[in-house]
Amino acid sequence: MIQDTTRERGPADPPAATILGYPRQGPGRELKRATEAYWSGRQDADELLAAVSELRLARWAEQHAAGLDELPSNDFSLYDHVLDTAWMLGAVPERHRAAVPDIDTARGRLDRYFAMARGTADIEPLEMTKWFDTNYHYLVPELSPDTTFELDPTKPLAEFTAARRAGFLTRPVIIGPISFLLLAKPAPGAPERFRPLDLIDSVLPLYEGLLQRLHAAGALWVQIDEPCLGTDQPDDVLDQVRGCYSRLAAAKDRPKIIVAGYFGRLGATLGVLAGLPIDGLAVDLVGPAAANLDDLEQLGKLSAERLLAGVIDGRNIWATDLAAALTTLERVGRLVDRVDVSTSCSLVHVPLDVGLEPGWGARYPGWFAFARQKLDELVVLRRGITQGRAAIAEELEINASRRAERLASPLVHNARVRERVATVTEAAERRKCPFPDRRLVQQRRWQLPAVPTTTIGSFPQTAELRRARAALRRRQLSEADYQQAMRREIDSVIAEQERLGLDVLVHGEPERNDMVQYFAEQLDGFLTTEHGWVQSYGTRYVRPPVLVGDVSRPAPMTVPWATYAQSRTDKPVKGMLTGPVTMLAWSFVRDDQPIATTAFGVALALREEVADLERAGIGIIQVDEPALREMLPLRRADRAAYLDWAVRAFRLATAAVEDSTQIHTHMCYAEFGDVLDAIIAMDADVISLEAARSKMAIVADLAQAGYPNEVGPGVWDIHSPRVPPTEEIVDHLRTAVAAFGDRVWANPDCGLKTRGYPEVKAALANLVAAAGQVRSTG
Ligand code: GLN
Ligand code: ZN
């Protein structure tokens, strides 16, 4: 029996409730467990594949039972959907083919696939990078003019047929040719001027072949994702988009095509999309992307027969304002023959089910919609547009009153905090003196040598530390014993740094599970989840905290640890906080006020912590903003407004200190080009940056931008276990000194928590020796 989940649809058909994609992991992160069991040899290939097919079936069954009319397939992935696409097109680098030459068996195919994802002992994996401005990471295909594409449609076909056998006629999801090529990078050794998009004519026949195969298997619709359309694209790329879809649309024997352009406002690209000779469009209509609807209205009636209206937010976890969504759907209904109710993007960016959080149902009734709850919302809205508002009057009323309850709840609304945020003055964002004057005061106070040495904060997180934290959580360790264990660790981290001869020490962050969660757990206004896992990459999942309301700090968060560390040494200990932008970037953020207001609230809470640290004698304080660059909006037009509030929030958190207190910040993830002015405007006394991987390119960029304060370009790439030799660090430091003179610090690229002690000791010894050499010889 085939359930009617993708009927052949015409103008008269009722709308469908559907989604662009669903979380992959399963309620108990079964996917992670099965995959890791395979990697460690505890399960064989057949066991992994069996676990996976069970999981996929369960996902479809769940979506169907919730009442969705049309289900996606091939949105599942063993590791990453861009990697799947590279595999499907045969874009497998030679080194991965050579590493696993035989793919006649299931094991061989898995091993080659995982070699691309994770590398092997001798070969590098594909590079990994962020998926647009989300916290998901994809594997970057490597292409060159020599890449020989060859279609392997096994995965999309197998998923489609497996679903069909179970009674679900699904809509396969594939990454479109334009985005696939734009997301790829030139393979090592490719000619200078080569752009992956040049290969469009080589990949299009494969897409035509795929469409044909899916059609033959019985697929009526496919969803082709083109998320790159959400970013600024030059006219020649838009021409390619037109050419590409005219050609795919002309293919004989194909399913009907929906092109999905998600992540934000499409602007002029929307006109291109609407003009394509395709059968359906999926458009993000949430948050700032609501403007897509105005733009659509300008364009008039669509020629495509369906529009999947993305009215449910695929990237945040709040219950949808159903009445507002219904209004949007009614407006869309005037523009197209069929409006379908959908999500703004795939739901892989949100956790699976609020129902997994113990007690939340009673404590926060109707506040949240994780992926599973979003299905219910879609179905209600579908009823609303097919049967009219009156048919869902009760749901609308409950939804509205729950929302009102949330916004009025003391957890969300704190009058004192609101008052403080509302009365922030520009003066509060400014240090007392300009940098050159502060610098003199700081030099007198700290008496640091030239090219001072320091680290970014964390020291290796040993198995013992993790065990202690887990034991505390399970109440097998008392709070007092835990404190004792952490103090012992701080003692040894301080002693090690003294032995190495570092100048500015850190306490090592042994007590922090995660640099955002640690603070979220201590601040009012944040909630943390137990099972709210979201895929970061491969089998790595994170649990972003939820910023629900006005943020305040009931008690100091880091002062006892920092002052304890300071009591163990005469050298200065640097206090360590996570900055406001990063707190927001790695959380789910409230939807009831402008994000800048939320950022200022977090900044004010951190400002209190900075003041307490200073009062307790901690006169060097680092406020990390590793996420500042990654929050940068996709579209250039939106960037200035973002950078404005981001910089202001940082300054608000840090500016209240005395001249003699030295504020540091730290950023990682290369590519600082777009944010150099913001880095300058932050006005930290010292910034440490990732630099070693990019061969210190940042030094020239910063110098050229006229960066006036002190800077520590990372001279040791901590992302690999390699220990940099002293001479190499000396070279890096000399490059920096040539650009910044006496304003240079010596430090690694990032925190050391993922490294082991042997390489940390060796590399830091070389770093201290290198700084010594540069000091004495200039
Ligand atoms: N202070 C943090 C650490 O050392 C910074 C981490 C980061 O930049 N991501 O771990
Ligand atoms: Zn870092």
Side-chain angles (χ1 to χ4, degrees), residues 353-364:
D353 189 353
V354 190
L356 296 171
E357 300 305 321
W360 278 37
R363 252 177 293 154
Y364 318 117

Side-chain angles (χ1 to χ4, degrees), residues 456-458 509 515 576 622 624 626 666 668 750-751 753:
I456 307 304
S458 56
E509 305 179 21
M515 65 184 292
M576 200 59 63
Q622 179 171 310
D624 289 322
H666 164 72
C668 23
C750 196
K753 59 172 168 268

